[in-house]
Amino acid sequence: MEGGVAYENDLNLKETELRLGLPGTGSTIEKGVSGARNNKRPLPETREEGGANGKPDAQHDDQENAPAPKAQIVGWPPIRSYRKNSLQPKKAEAEAAAGMYVKVSMDGAPYLRKIDLTVYKGYPELLRALENMFKLTIGEYSEREGYKGSEYAPTYEDKDGDWMLVGDVPWEMFLSSCKKLRIIKGSEAIGLGCGA
Amino acid sequence: MITNKKPRSSDTDSNYMRDDRTEMSEDDDRSPPSDSIANGSCPTRTCTPGSGSGSGSGSSSIPEYSAPYPDRVLENVLENVLWFLTSRKDRNAASLVCRSWYRVEAMTRSDLFIGNCYAVSPERATSRFTRVRSVTLKGKPRFADFNLMPPNWGAHFAPWVSATAKAYPWLEKIHLKRMSVTDDDLALLAESFSGFKELVLVCCDGFGTSGLAAVASKCRQLKVLDLIESEVSDDEVDWIMCFPDTETCLESLIFDCVECLVDFDALERLVVRSPSLKKLRLNRFVSIGQLYRLMVRAPQLTHLGTGSFSPSEDVAQGELELDYVSAFAACKSLVCLSGFREIVPDCLPAIYPICANLTSLNFSYANISAEQLKPIISNCHKLQTFWVLDSICDEGLQAVATTCKELRELRVFPFDPREDIEGPVSEVGLQAISEGCRKLQSILYFCQRMTNAAVIAMSKNCPDLVVFRLCIMGRQRPDHVTGEPMDEGFGAIVMNCKKLTRLAVSGLLTDTAFAYIGKYGKIVRTLSVAFAGDSDMGLKYVLEGCPRLQKLEIRDSPFGDTALLSGLHHYYNMRFLWMSACRLSHQGCQQIAQALPHLVVEVIKHEDTVHTDDYADTLYMYRSLAGRRHDVPKFVSIL
């Protein structure tokens, strides 16, 4: 595009041009639009949480008038993260999916915890992690009897809002439908039954 | 200037306008150039000669008159008169007349406004002003919104809530902007102020739904609960359920920024038992079918935020068949519409019945095209405030210009805020708006390309401009037709727009642009600069030329110590100066700190930046009576 190049070629025109400038100004206008002009070195690509400040735009680097380094700059353009995230929620969700955090509550515990389900390869790992986190025993899952005999049973809320026993469905299905986890007393788990 | 109005505690009329005010820029509330709080100590002049300090006075021809001492009479008169003085600026001036006036003004001030929460300590403020009913506090500087400030920098509400809880148990209103508020703070607020009526949190963070629950359940007189662009964490508490079961006083409930589900049935019941409700802005978890149910319950609404404006995923067909047109038609008082968070454009025609009444329309979360906009906007003859996404393109803006002759405020946000894309709006849209909307007062315009000609045209066509914020998203882009810097365009703005008080510049700018600002921007109060200027001269022009400058925020521009030092004469008149990624050295900042003892000079270090130790990453400095603050995080050093 035009831009930087045309500016340089027009220097002579500039000097004879009628301007509103103050006396003494306009004569030594520094040319060049490189990023070195301001001492900002481009930051390493900094993503705002779920932010849509976007992908590196290597494919758009052919504009001459753009500053040389085109890495993403923090806080530019000046749009609040809330607005960015709201406009590109699919992107935000996609980024959040790389790391699937769900809340875990336990009856009687004052605080919720959050865990990333994607770090576990299957139910056994998940259950061990929960046992460690809350210092309790969950025991073994059996299809017919659930967690019968254990002090605690892990349950989860699925996409439909129903509370299910952890372990009833295949792991992949669980990953895609689990919204949050809740560890309940073993005695209360009887109502949840077995099987999906 | 004494007004005729009665002093108001929480007046619903002021609420009506206030909603727009919280969305408008800070500068629209006209803060005085020198806040007398910062000028601090009592004046030394005395009152008129003749009223001495008590015992007897000059006019001796009133024998045996058992009146109170003359200056006591004066104080009583003053007290009665000063109650009517509502403007902050007038009150600050009045307080400087003499000791007596200072004292009486302090006793009669009911609205306390603190533009920088670190400029004065809560103890000092509460001991001077003893009968305050409303507190407004502003915390972090605006650039914190764009992640330029590390988290946990400060602006904590906690010391303020505890001081005001002791000093003003009758407090009715708290309005916070960019403050860190915790759930404990909100719980204390709810406990301490039995008559509490209004809570407005703009761009705040640090709290969650449990804090909201405390306010909802304990503040029985609550009229206004407005959460605007704040970050609210989901504590799994259904705060809507916490409102009392009885009829409420609610007039305004704004929670469009709250990113958690609320129990809809509870919300519906709340709306039913809130007969005074005029303003309701729903979050995106409310579907259009649910919106319908609320609208038929509350046809008296004046301000509505529509939530997602799309059908919910799992509800069946039923939602699409509801008579939305009638629901909107029934809301005859609706003047302000927003929301449309996940809009399904097919649903848009539902709002046709009320377009003609609308004075404010916010489509800035709605990805709609020009074609989808036109049938709506062509009916919006009374529109004064319009926020929209650039998805409507120049063509959409032309449609706006054709119809909206009363437009005062326009904001065009980018759907895709990257730097190097083509961009759907340009100088064409700006030119059209300038020609069609002659009464324009405030504009925020994001674009990828612009010309000086269009900016100059706007400067001539829109003489009422008070706020001009142009963001050419590609850094240092020149005029894309001529290749020139954007100096002439911005120069024309400061030259021709005689009412301009707020300016944000962008694009390729040389020191010339700043020379213009310094020469013509005599009433500019807020200036925002990014990636602009050539040398120290740029900043010097501004600091030497703009006597009303209050708030100056600069990033990534080549201004150094010499320029910084040229503003020494002015910094006490400013609320703050922000300079990040410029060419300031620690020594330069130190010099300022030494020269101006009432200035707090913060140098903020950023972890991310690959920077040498020579330059200060970020300078944030502000006048203060409180001295260095006690809650300094480790990445901040106060010089």
Side-chain angles (χ1 to χ4, degrees):
Chain A
M1 285 189 71
E2 68 290 340
V5 177
Y7 176 48
E8 288 171 33
N9 291 342
D10 276 347
L11 262 186
N12 286 334
L13 282 176
K14 282 196 75 54
E15 285 177 13
T16 54
E17 191 183 330
L18 283 174
R19 292 277 297 277
L20 292 164
L22 298 175
T25 62
S27 51
T28 50
I29 294 173
E30 215 178 296
K31 301 190 295 273
V33 291
S34 70
R37 189 150 71 98
N38 39 13
N39 65 350
K40 181 72 173 176
R41 49 290 127 302
L43 298 168
E45 171 150 25
T46 321
R47 289 258 163 130
E48 314 185 42
E49 55 264 285
N53 211 356
K55 316 163 189 169
D57 21 21
Q59 66 272 34
H60 298 286
D61 259 346
D62 50 351
Q63 300 200 355
E64 297 153 10
N65 54 355
K70 285 309 288 175
Q72 297 299 313
I73 292 284
V74 169
W76 188 262
I79 311 271
R80 294 190 181 129
S81 330
Y82 177 76
R83 181 169 285 283
K84 279 199 238 215
N85 295 347
S86 301
L87 287 177
Q88 316 247 340
K90 301 281 184 320
K91 248 189 200 164
E93 276 165 25
E95 289 181 24
M100 213 195 125
Y101 284 88
V102 296
K103 294 184 190 176
V104 188
S105 62
M106 183 170 100
D107 293 348
Y111 299 108
L112 301 178
R113 303 295 298 269
K114 248 184 178 161
I115 58 172
D116 180 355
L117 290 181
T118 57
V119 314
Y120 307 110
K121 310 235 182 348
Y123 285 120
E125 266 191 42
L126 171 63
L127 295 179
R128 295 296 87 74
L130 290 176
E131 286 181 331
N132 280 335
M133 192 181 272
F134 291 98
K135 307 284 180 278
L136 43 75
T137 32
I138 293 177
E140 296 289 312
Y141 170 79
S142 89
E143 203 179 288
R144 220 157 23 100
E145 300 191 335
Y147 294 92
K148 186 165 176 184
S150 311
E151 213 190 332
Y152 291 96
T155 65
Y156 71 99
E157 187 181 10
D158 72 0
K159 277 203 277 225
D160 301 321
D162 299 322
W163 284 95
M164 315 277 288
L165 203 59
V166 168
D168 280 355
V169 302
W171 176 251
E172 296 304 326
M173 193 186 291
F174 167 74
L175 276 186
S176 63
S177 59
C178 173
K179 291 274 164 262
K180 56 171 109 149
L181 285 163
R182 191 170 148 225
I183 300 177
I184 60 176
K185 291 265 161 57
S187 50
E188 292 174 26
I190 294 171
L192 285 174
C194 330
Chain B
M1 186 193 77
I2 296 176
T3 63
N4 268 339
K5 293 180 262 203
K6 280 223 79 84
R8 33 177 192 234
S9 45
S10 55
D11 186 34
T12 45
D13 287 337
S14 71
N15 286 349
Y16 181 91
M17 289 312 294
R18 191 193 37 76
D19 183 52
D20 303 316
R21 280 163 66 79
T22 53
E23 302 203 56
M24 278 161 43
S25 69
E26 287 185 8
D27 291 71
D28 295 310
D29 50 11
R30 298 272 185 268
S31 52
S34 54
D35 193 333
S36 72
I37 287 189
N39 290 340
S41 49
C42 294
T44 51
R45 284 186 296 148
T46 54
C47 259
T48 55
S51 62
S53 54
S55 52
S57 76
S59 69
S60 50
S61 54
I62 312 178
E64 290 175 312
Y65 179 60
S66 58
Y69 293 123
D71 62 341
R72 191 76 199 105
V73 173
L74 182 62
E75 278 205 9
N76 287 342
V77 169
L78 258 183
E79 192 175 331
N80 284 307
V81 166
L82 285 186
W83 272 118
F84 293 93
L85 211 60
T86 48
S87 141
R88 222 161 58 226
K89 193 171 176 179
D90 293 342
R91 282 194 158 269
N92 290 344
S95 71
L96 293 176
V97 168
C98 65
R99 244 182 256 280
S100 195
W101 282 54
Y102 176 90
R103 220 175 17 245
V104 178
E105 192 284 313
M107 272 190 329
T108 56
R109 189 181 294 219
S110 61
D111 299 335
L112 184 60
F113 173 89
I114 312 268
N116 173 4
C117 65
Y118 287 124
V120 65
S121 71
E123 293 69 40
R124 187 167 180 153
T126 53
S127 52
R128 175 175 168 183
F129 300 104
T130 51
R131 299 195 196 164
V132 165
R133 275 179 294 190
S134 149
V135 173
T136 300
L137 281 173
K138 295 187 177 177
K140 293 173 233 180
R142 199 179 71 97
F143 273 3
D145 291 350
F146 315 123
N147 293 31
L148 291 181
M149 182 85 105
N152 304 319
W153 170 81
H156 301 290
F157 181 43
W160 289 92
V161 69
S162 35
T164 51
K166 294 192 198 91
Y168 314 131
W170 51 77
L171 195 69
E172 293 177 353
K173 171 179 167 180
I174 289 178
H175 181 147
L176 304 178
K177 187 167 185 178
R178 292 195 192 95
M179 299 284 296
S180 284
V181 181
T182 65
D183 292 322
D184 288 340
D185 296 337
L186 292 176
L188 182 60
L189 184 160
E191 292 285 339
S192 313
F193 305 120
S194 55
F196 196 73
K197 297 197 170 112
E198 284 189 34
L199 182 63
V200 178
L201 301 176
V202 181
C203 298
C204 295
D205 61 10
F207 63 102
T209 49
S210 36
L212 296 181
V215 173
S217 63
K218 301 233 172 79
C219 300
R220 298 276 157 147
Q221 312 295 324
L222 198 67
K223 289 189 181 180
V224 173
L225 180 56
D226 290 353
L227 306 164
I228 296 166
E229 295 202 54
S230 293
E231 213 175 291
V232 183
S233 70
D234 184 357
D235 299 335
E236 312 263 313
V237 173
D238 203 324
W239 56 286
I240 292 282
M241 299 245 246
C242 295
F243 281 96
D245 287 330
T246 54
E247 205 170 88
T248 75
C249 312
L250 275 180
E251 295 173 13
S252 173
L253 181 62
I254 293 178
F255 64 99
D256 46 4
C257 62
V258 177
E259 289 289 303
C260 20
L261 214 55
V262 294
D263 181 297
F264 180 73
D265 291 330
L267 178 61
E268 191 176 11
R269 290 195 298 275
L270 177 64
V271 169
V272 167
R273 62 182 194 278
S274 304
S276 308
L277 195 67
K278 291 283 196 291
K279 299 183 187 180
L280 180 64
R281 290 190 0 204
L282 307 164
N283 67 12
R284 64 180 179 89
F285 293 92
V286 178
S287 72
I288 195 171
Q290 291 170 331
L291 170 68
Y292 175 87
R293 282 164 62 178
L294 294 175
M295 287 179 73
V296 304
R297 303 287 196 185
Q300 77 280 7
L301 288 176
T302 57
H303 293 55
L304 177 65
T306 64
S308 69
F309 214 67
S310 60
S312 59
E313 287 165 7
D314 27 307
V315 173
Q317 278 299 91
E319 272 201 334
L320 288 170
E321 281 151 20
L322 293 168
D323 190 354
Y324 295 105
V325 176
S326 299
F328 273 95
C331 294
K332 300 198 186 305
S333 313
L334 212 49
V335 290
C336 174
L337 201 56
S338 61
F340 309 103
R341 292 295 167 118
E342 286 156 12
I343 189 174
V344 164
D346 288 347
C347 298
L348 257 184
I351 73 173
Y352 286 158
I354 45 125
C355 287
N357 297 334
L358 284 182
T359 54
S360 170
L361 178 56
N362 183 347
F363 271 153
S364 67
Y365 292 96
N367 185 11
I368 56 175
S369 66
E371 285 316 303
Q372 289 161 341
L373 177 71
K374 282 181 191 174
I376 305 282
I377 209 75
S378 58
N379 292 323
C380 296
H381 300 277
K382 288 194 191 164
L383 207 60
Q384 295 187 17
T385 301
F386 186 48
W387 291 22
V388 72
L389 280 183
D390 62 2
S391 57
I392 62 166
C393 302
D394 287 328
E395 197 188 331
L397 290 172
Q398 284 162 331
V400 173
T402 307
T403 313
C404 304
K405 299 303 176 189
E406 297 299 314
L407 200 66
R408 304 287 196 271
E409 176 179 327
L410 175 68
R411 296 198 191 185
V412 180
F413 293 96
F415 176 69
D416 191 348
R418 285 181 290 163
E419 289 192 57
D420 292 322
I421 59 177
E422 186 54 19
V425 299
S426 69
E427 73 278 2
V428 171
L430 192 73
Q431 178 93 28
I433 292 289
S434 78
E435 287 164 7
C437 307
R438 297 297 175 111
K439 299 186 186 177
L440 201 64
Q441 292 172 358
S442 170
I443 184 165
L444 170 63
Y445 196 89
F446 284 87
C447 59
Q448 296 286 359
R449 53 196 195 285
M450 186 48 59
T451 61
N452 283 306
V455 178
I456 293 170
M458 177 157 274
S459 77
K460 294 182 180 157
N461 292 336
C462 303
D464 291 338
L465 274 178
V466 173
V467 174
F468 184 79
R469 298 159 70 192
L470 176 62
C471 183
I472 303 169
M473 288 187 276
R475 286 166 279 151
Q476 296 156 348
R477 287 265 170 86
D479 177 323
H480 82 98
V481 167
T482 65
E484 302 271 298
M486 292 301 298
D487 298 342
E488 295 307 307
F490 287 103
I493 290 286
V494 284
M495 212 175 4
N496 298 332
C497 301
K498 309 272 192 255
K499 304 181 188 174
L500 195 82
T501 59
R502 180 170 181 182
L503 180 65
V505 300
S506 61
L508 179 65
L509 292 169
T510 71
D511 288 342
T512 305
F514 297 99
Y516 286 140
I517 296 172
K519 181 167 182 189
Y520 297 106
K522 292 308 175 189
I523 58 168
V524 168
R525 293 202 329 256
T526 305
L527 179 62
S528 194
V529 178
F531 305 99
D534 302 319
S535 73
D536 281 351
M537 285 310 296
L539 180 55
K540 276 191 78 168
Y541 288 137
V542 169
L543 291 170
E544 288 169 1
C546 301
R548 293 292 163 98
L549 194 62
Q550 291 256 285
K551 299 180 245 179
L552 180 55
E553 49 190 27
I554 303 175
R555 64 169 294 184
D556 295 86
S557 301
F559 305 134
D561 298 341
T562 313
L564 187 66
L565 288 166
S566 69
L568 278 174
H569 66 285
H570 188 63
Y571 294 136
Y572 277 160
N573 293 333
M574 290 178 65
R575 190 179 293 173
F576 72 81
L577 169 66
W578 168 289
M579 288 179 68
S580 57
C582 297
R583 291 206 181 128
L584 301 174
S585 72
H586 285 98
Q587 290 84 342
C589 300
Q590 187 73 55
Q591 278 182 279
I592 301 284
Q594 273 157 3
L596 299 174
H598 289 298
L599 215 58
V600 173
V601 179
E602 298 196 10
V603 174
I604 303 170
K605 188 149 180 48
H606 293 259
E607 292 169 2
D608 308 1
T609 54
V610 178
H611 218 168
T612 65
D613 279 327
D614 297 344
Y615 287 133
D617 285 345
T618 298
L619 167 70
Y620 177 55
M621 64 191 210
Y622 48 91
R623 65 185 173 191
S624 174
L625 293 174
R628 64 186 294 135
R629 54 191 175 107
H630 306 300
D631 56 1
V632 181
K634 55 180 163 41
F635 50 81
V636 171
S637 52
I638 298 191
L639 302 181

